[in-house]
């Protein structure tokens, strides 16, 4: 059996309708990845980073939001430290573009973790060993 190597046993999926709708509508529950998630005790999260980016005026630029969500889930360093480092880097990187751009990035960092939705992993995923048929 393959093992998933993760920092914190978390899997994050950017989903337009965060909350697990993709799990039910697109047959995600069938096959290899779902089997690995269940059998490796991985926590499954979704986030609608596109919606969050739009809320803070960043259009469809989701990198900062996904980065903040990653640091929250990965727990590599305490999140308050990660927050501090991300904001300092945003200031360094975007400072020449003006305070408004820096503020949008800071707002993206601040809003990111509010969009994380943990999806309960169904017990039947433990028995799924074959994948869905590819679309032809």
């Amino acid at each position: 059996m393959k093992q998933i190597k993760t920092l914190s046993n978390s899997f994050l999926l950017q989903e337009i309708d965060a909350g697990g709708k993709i799990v039910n509508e697109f047959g995600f529950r069938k096959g290899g990845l779902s089997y690995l998630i269940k059998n490796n005790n991985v926590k499954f999260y979704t986030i609608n980073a596109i919606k969050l980016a739009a809320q803070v005026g960043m259009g469809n630029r989701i990198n900062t939001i996904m980065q903040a969500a990653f640091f929250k889930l990965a727990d590599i360093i305490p999140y308050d430290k990660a927050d501090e480092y991300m904001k300092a880097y945003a200031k360094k990187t975007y400072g020449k573009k003006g305070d408004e751009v820096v503020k949008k990035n800071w707002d993206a960092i601040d809003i990111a973790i509010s969009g994380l939705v943990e999806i309960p992993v169904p017990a039947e995923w433990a028995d799924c060993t074959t994948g869905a048929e590819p679309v032809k």
Side-chain angles (χ1 to χ4, degrees):
M1 177 173 83
K2 293 181 183 178
Q3 296 288 319
I4 294 178
K5 302 276 188 224
T6 64
L7 296 172
S8 65
N9 281 354
S10 298
F11 178 82
L12 177 60
L13 177 69
Q14 155 54 35
E15 182 181 9
I16 301 283
D17 184 18
K21 191 173 181 181
I22 194 169
V23 173
N24 297 319
E25 288 192 4
F26 297 105
F28 186 75
R29 73 181 130 220
K30 294 182 181 178
L33 184 57
S34 55
Y35 175 83
L36 291 172
I37 287 172
K38 181 64 179 177
N39 287 295
N40 287 283
N41 297 315
V42 174
K43 291 184 178 182
F44 181 24
Y45 294 87
T46 62
I47 188 169
N48 187 341
I50 294 170
K51 178 181 173 185
L52 295 173
Q55 286 177 2
V56 296
M58 295 202 39
N60 62 359
R61 292 185 282 303
I62 66 170
N63 291 4
T64 302
I65 290 168
M66 295 301 288
Q67 175 182 298
F70 165 81
F71 276 110
K72 179 65 177 177
L73 296 176
D75 200 27
I76 298 169
I77 59 175
Y79 186 74
D80 59 332
K81 278 294 196 196
D83 182 85
E84 180 183 321
Y85 295 147
M86 287 184 289
K87 287 180 178 176
Y89 190 76
K91 176 72 173 171
K92 179 181 176 182
T93 303
Y94 302 113
K96 292 179 183 177
K97 293 186 177 191
D99 289 340
E100 184 179 340
V101 174
V102 172
K103 183 179 180 332
K104 286 179 183 179
N105 278 272
W106 286 2
D107 290 346
I109 293 165
D110 290 339
I111 200 172
I113 61 173
S114 71
L116 290 171
V117 178
E118 186 172 358
I119 305 301
V121 177
E124 60 267 17
W125 282 14
D127 299 324
C128 293
T129 57
T130 59
E133 292 299 315
V135 176
K136 296 179 182 179

